[in-house]
Amino acid sequence: MKVNIGLNKNKSMGKITLLVVPFLYFFILLLISYFVGKTGYAKIKSQRKDVISAKKTENILVEKEAELKTIKEISNYIKPVSIALPDKNPALILISQIKYLSNLNDLNLEDFKIGSMAGDEANSKLNLSFSLSGSYLNVFSFLTGTKTLLPILTLQKAEFGFQEDMASAEIILNSFWAPYPEKLPPVTEPILKLTDDNINTLGRVSVFTPPVFSTLNPSGPIQRANPFF
């Protein structure tokens, strides 16, 4: 008795398998290529972005370097400007400056008072009130001199009394201070260039009258003849 085991059917399945397997491999290869290509493109895009950012930063730093080389004279303005608008209450400095100016003009200075301070985190204001007496020419010379004193002063009030060539005055002056920035801008930010008006302002402030600070040299160790005295 002959048994039919379906050889024709097995041959057909074998042909189908031979056709499906390559297509399956091709699909897997295509899928892998898609994900690899997508990841690679994202990496290339990220790298290109980093290169553009680095180039931009380099251009900014080159521009800053060139600008600093052309305005070296700005360093001469740092000290007078820092005194013109100090970072701390300048009351003691201003008292010294006003006494210096009154002595220079041979005036009597009386009733010196420091008024209330008002302001916010950005700036603060100080009121100085006092009385002057002397020659009226010297009084006006004093008021003119306050325009060029450091720290900067502004005249809030002036009341005068005259008797022949003598004068008396009740003066109120304002001064200001502001804390320095606690954080500097990032080096990658473009430099803020000074305008011609800014340079002129710095030049005018640099010739104002700064306070005179006396310095004491430390004395060396002194040997005592008697260690008990």
Side-chain angles (χ1 to χ4, degrees), residues 30-102:
L30 187 64
L31 192 64
I32 293 173
S33 300
Y34 170 76
F35 285 107
V36 170
K38 184 178 180 181
T39 304
Y41 176 76
K43 288 289 185 181
I44 294 173
K45 187 177 180 181
S46 176
Q47 291 293 328
R48 183 177 296 176
K49 185 178 179 181
D50 292 341
V51 169
I52 294 174
S53 176
K55 188 64 177 178
K56 183 178 179 181
T57 301
E58 181 184 3
N59 293 336
I60 291 174
L61 294 177
V62 170
E63 181 183 359
K64 284 185 175 183
E65 182 183 9
E67 184 69 16
L68 291 174
K69 286 182 178 179
T70 58
I71 57 173
K72 287 184 178 179
E73 67 274 11
I74 296 300
S75 60
N76 298 326
Y77 302 143
I78 294 177
K79 185 175 181 179
V81 170
S82 63
I83 299 175
L85 186 64
D87 63 323
K88 297 178 181 179
N89 188 335
L92 294 178
I93 299 176
L94 288 171
I95 292 173
S96 175
Q97 286 287 72
I98 291 173
K99 287 183 176 180
Y100 159 79
L101 192 58
S102 63

Side-chain angles (χ1 to χ4, degrees), residues 150-168:
L150 294 180
I152 291 177
L153 292 166
T154 59
L155 180 62
Q156 177 180 336
K157 180 182 178 182
E159 294 183 353
F160 299 95
F162 298 96
Q163 186 176 3
E164 296 181 356
D165 61 342
M166 303 298 291
S168 61

Side-chain angles (χ1 to χ4, degrees), residues 12-36:
S12 299
M13 290 297 295
K15 291 180 180 179
I16 294 173
T17 302
L18 291 175
L19 292 175
V20 170
V21 170
F23 280 108
L24 183 61
Y25 286 156
F26 177 76
F27 176 75
I28 294 174
L29 180 62
L30 187 64
L31 192 64
I32 293 173
S33 300
Y34 170 76
F35 285 107
V36 170

Side-chain angles (χ1 to χ4, degrees), residues 99-166:
K99 287 183 176 180
Y100 159 79
L101 192 58
S102 63
N103 292 333
L104 186 64
N105 289 278
D106 195 22
L107 296 172
N108 294 322
L109 179 64
E110 298 176 342
D111 301 330
F112 202 104
K113 297 179 182 178
I114 300 176
S116 59
M117 295 165 288
D120 51 29
E121 294 182 356
N123 57 75
S124 299
K125 183 173 71 174
L126 176 67
N127 296 326
L128 304 169
S129 62
F130 50 90
S131 301
L132 289 175
S133 60
S135 167
Y136 70 89
L137 291 177
N138 290 350
V139 171
F140 285 112
S141 176
F142 174 90
L143 293 175
T144 303
T146 59
K147 295 180 180 180
T148 57
L149 284 183
L150 294 180
I152 291 177
L153 292 166
T154 59
L155 180 62
Q156 177 180 336
K157 180 182 178 182
E159 294 183 353
F160 299 95
F162 298 96
Q163 186 176 3
E164 296 181 356
D165 61 342
M166 303 298 291

